[in-house]
Amino acid sequence: QDTAKKMTEFWLISAPGEKTCQQTWEKLHAATTKHNNLSTNSKFNIPDLKVGTLDVLVGLSDELAKLDAFVEGVVKKVAQYMGDVLEDSKDKVQENLLANGGKVLIAKPFQSFRHYFILQGVNQIDNDLKARASAYNNLKGNLQNLERKNAGSLLTRSLADIVKKEDFVLDSEYLITLLVVVPKLNYNDWVKQYETLAEMVVPRSSNVLFEDQDSYLCNVTLFRKAVDDFKHKAREYKFMVRDFQYNEEEMKADKEEMNRLSTDKKKQFGPLVRWLKVNFSEAFIAWIHVKALRVFVESVLRYGLPVNFQAMLLQPNKKTMKKLREVLYDLYKHLDSSAAAIIDATMDIPGLNLSQQEYYPYVYYKIDCNLLEFK
């Protein structure tokens, strides 16, 4: 099965243990498979965590809700940045990250560690991501600026990769070579006129050095003292003289800078992608841990002590989500009459952080991997 394609969202739910927790699991599994496999199910084992007082649990419930939102944000940021870095191969991102994430979700046993360790670890990923993204984006930006300089219209683009030393009269006390951008429509005029645009233009000194869609780049040699006259007259005919001095050192430096940036970007790319993969996985695992902690806390708050509930992970089939909701409702409506009365409405229950989310008679959290789609 292709996890990446199948993975959309998971529902992490819990229900009280009946005679045994195994029975709770079997009942759910039977109910969802009876109607043509409404979901793919697995047990989600959460170790017995220490239970404090009810007040502590209520406080923890709020803290975990904030932590959940923070960790989810970091998971999204890492995934989105992977999309940015891979530029043209965004389809590969999803395979890489989500296939990995899917395995984590289904196969990774839950390890018990406290929520502040999760916060510390994910904070670190968040800060590292900012630093790495900033360095890489800087490099990418500088390279793009140089690439833009080497593209665009002949009036503005860099000419370093176009002109050669032999196109110019250099080191002459009296003569100078100018570069002129001539619109293709006016080229015949140029050929007829350029020798007479000012006094002292060297006859037959103009050649076409380069062309783009609209214009030719031509050189022309004349006496230095005629330059101002020539520029002025050329403008009347829509011939634009480029402000350009041939400087081999400068042009070489530009080329070297571009090569350096391009090499640097290639060097950083591999390690950055590896870092993103590893830390996506870390952040994703942390996110699932937070969800598990939330399930534990909410289950104890809802179902009471001693701890006796079964957590289950459902991967709904896209087309039958509504039907799955109905089956779960029928299965668990006896747990909470108020939720049964206002099913699917948002309710504000004091102490349970549910005002912003859907409320059901069973404990329910969504792990939404659609959040990781790449734009």
Side-chain angles (χ1 to χ4, degrees):
Q1 117 188 357
D2 183 343
T3 324
K5 279 197 186 105
K6 200 173 179 222
M7 206 153 151
T8 49
E9 64 180 57
F10 291 88
W11 295 356
L12 186 50
I13 71 168
S14 87
E18 306 206 2
K19 285 197 181 91
T20 62
C21 287
Q22 178 62 19
Q23 205 176 344
T24 308
W25 158 250
E26 282 165 6
K27 207 172 190 178
L28 167 102
H29 199 55
T32 58
T33 45
K34 187 168 70 184
H35 303 270
N36 282 319
N37 283 346
L38 297 176
S39 56
T40 309
N41 311 321
S42 56
K43 278 184 186 175
F44 192 89
N45 294 320
I46 303 174
D48 277 348
L49 301 167
K50 257 195 228 155
V51 179
T53 64
L54 204 58
D55 281 356
V56 169
L57 283 181
V58 168
L60 193 54
S61 170
D62 287 344
E63 250 178 80
L64 287 171
K66 288 180 197 138
L67 184 59
D68 191 350
F70 170 66
V71 178
E72 180 186 302
V74 174
V75 169
K76 259 161 80 172
K77 273 194 262 184
V78 176
Q80 295 294 354
Y81 193 61
M82 179 69 119
D84 290 351
V85 169
L86 287 189
E87 293 169 32
D88 303 327
S89 347
K90 290 196 172 153
D91 47 332
K92 297 204 175 66
V93 183
Q94 209 142 355
E95 287 162 34
N96 276 327
L97 298 185
L98 293 190
N100 211 4
K103 287 186 203 118
V104 164
L105 196 49
I106 290 161
K108 189 97 182 168
F110 176 77
Q111 300 147 349
S112 162
F113 56 71
R114 297 202 179 125
H115 62 285
Y116 56 74
F117 288 135
I118 297 176
L119 180 59
Q120 249 178 343
V122 177
N123 243 328
Q124 186 65 51
I125 292 174
D126 196 30
N127 292 334
D128 285 358
L129 176 65
K130 280 180 198 142
R132 284 166 189 266
S134 164
Y136 190 75
N137 291 353
N138 226 335
L139 195 57
K140 200 160 116 180
N142 291 341
L143 188 58
Q144 278 166 346
N145 287 340
L146 272 183
E147 281 164 352
R148 263 198 296 276
K149 262 175 73 178
N150 286 323
S153 97
L154 281 171
L155 289 168
T156 52
R157 64 167 289 172
S158 158
L159 303 176
D161 55 343
I162 291 175
V163 297
K164 300 181 194 67
K165 196 171 183 175
E166 51 269 28
D167 299 329
F168 295 82
V169 170
L170 298 168
D171 308 321
S172 161
E173 197 179 332
Y174 301 108
L175 293 173
I176 184 169
T177 301
L178 300 179
L179 295 181
V180 186
V181 178
V182 178
K184 287 187 172 173
L185 297 171
N186 306 54
Y187 182 66
N188 288 339
D189 292 345
W190 169 256
V191 174
K192 281 186 210 143
Q193 305 282 357
Y194 81 87
E195 292 175 0
T196 57
L197 289 177
E199 290 180 2
M200 297 190 273
V201 174
V202 176
R204 296 207 295 273
S205 63
S206 178
N207 297 294
V208 172
L209 307 181
F210 189 80
E211 65 177 286
D212 66 10
Q213 234 173 330
D214 315 303
S215 314
Y216 292 112
L217 181 72
C218 304
N219 60 351
V220 61
T221 300
L222 59 155
F223 276 72
R224 285 179 185 274
K225 59 182 177 183
V227 167
D228 287 344
D229 275 356
F230 185 88
K231 280 184 177 172
H232 185 73
K233 204 70 193 293
R235 205 173 294 127
E236 288 173 22
Y237 285 95
K238 298 196 173 65
F239 310 143
M240 301 306 292
V241 177
R242 279 269 322 236
D243 189 14
F244 180 86
Q245 281 174 322
Y246 184 84
N247 181 327
E248 213 151 6
E249 292 306 306
E250 232 169 74
M251 286 168 23
K252 198 172 148 209
D254 266 9
K255 258 185 200 153
E256 280 169 2
E257 175 69 350
M258 189 138 173
N259 287 339
R260 187 183 68 75
L261 289 173
S262 179
T263 309
D264 272 5
K265 188 182 164 200
K266 282 187 192 117
K267 262 192 210 150
Q268 284 191 25
F269 177 82
L272 180 59
V273 169
R274 275 194 298 282
W275 184 91
L276 287 164
K277 268 192 200 177
V278 167
N279 286 277
F280 174 83
S281 221
E282 289 297 311
F284 196 88
I285 292 167
W287 191 31
I288 303 314
H289 276 63
V290 176
K291 294 285 188 201
L293 287 169
R294 292 190 78 183
V295 168
F296 182 85
V297 170
E298 299 303 329
S299 298
V300 173
L301 284 174
R302 286 231 211 155
Y303 310 141
L305 289 168
V307 175
N308 179 29
F309 67 88
Q310 178 64 53
M312 298 162 280
L313 187 69
L314 282 56
Q315 186 180 9
N317 287 334
K318 260 189 189 156
K319 290 176 184 157
T320 52
M321 277 189 183
K322 199 163 176 289
K323 179 69 181 156
L324 178 60
R325 274 283 174 229
E326 286 163 16
V327 166
L328 293 178
Y329 173 57
D330 286 339
L331 210 51
Y332 301 124
K333 62 185 172 197
H334 65 281
L335 295 176
D336 185 336
S337 52
S338 61
I342 331 178
I343 189 73
D344 271 14
T346 51
M347 281 181 60
D348 199 356
I349 309 246
L352 290 182
N353 191 28
L354 294 162
S355 48
Q356 259 70 59
Q357 65 181 54
E358 305 146 291
Y359 183 68
Y360 299 98
Y362 45 93
V363 170
Y364 159 79
Y365 291 104
K366 180 159 74 171
I367 297 166
D368 189 354
C369 297
N370 294 318
L371 297 171
L372 312 173
E373 293 288 340
F374 303 95
K375 308 290 178 284

